Amino acid sequence: MPDRRNFCGRLGVVPCMRLINEAHVAQPGLAVVEVAAADDQTAFAVQEALAGLWATAPADRTTRVAGEPGVRLRCFLDVRQELAS
């Protein structure tokens, strides 16, 4: 498996989150969004804002990384499917 370190030398994947599957980004218009926020309420508010714009597979929980501030949340978007206003 290739090294998954980011430019800061840290692992590019939060240890408790699953790796991004090829199917999640297999076509143009599919995206994986990882939100870092101070608390659950803020992370879910960002997810809700994204879900108001595009088709979204929402997360039902956040994760915490030991020694790092805040919470993380990952959701999957299909920006090809704009929602009716």
Side-chain angles (χ1 to χ4, degrees):
M1 177 180 284
D3 189 13
R4 296 188 180 274
R5 295 190 180 275
N6 62 24
F7 68 93
C8 294
R10 291 184 172 179
L11 288 177
V13 177
V14 177
C16 53
M17 287 189 161
R18 297 183 314 264
L19 293 175
I20 296 171
N21 185 306
E22 279 187 47
H24 297 145
V25 293
Q27 300 174 12
L30 300 179
V32 178
V33 176
E34 293 193 33
V35 176
D39 57 26
D40 289 353
Q41 184 177 1
T42 304
F44 286 118
V46 171
Q47 177 176 259
E48 187 175 328
L50 293 170
L53 298 172
W54 299 292
T56 306
D60 58 355
R61 65 182 176 88
T62 61
T63 59
R64 295 185 183 274
V65 177
E68 291 189 15
V71 298
R72 305 285 189 273
L73 175 141
R74 179 186 288 175
C75 59
F76 304 92
L77 304 178
D78 185 343
V79 300
R80 303 169 299 183
Q81 299 181 33
E82 290 187 30
L83 302 178
S85 305

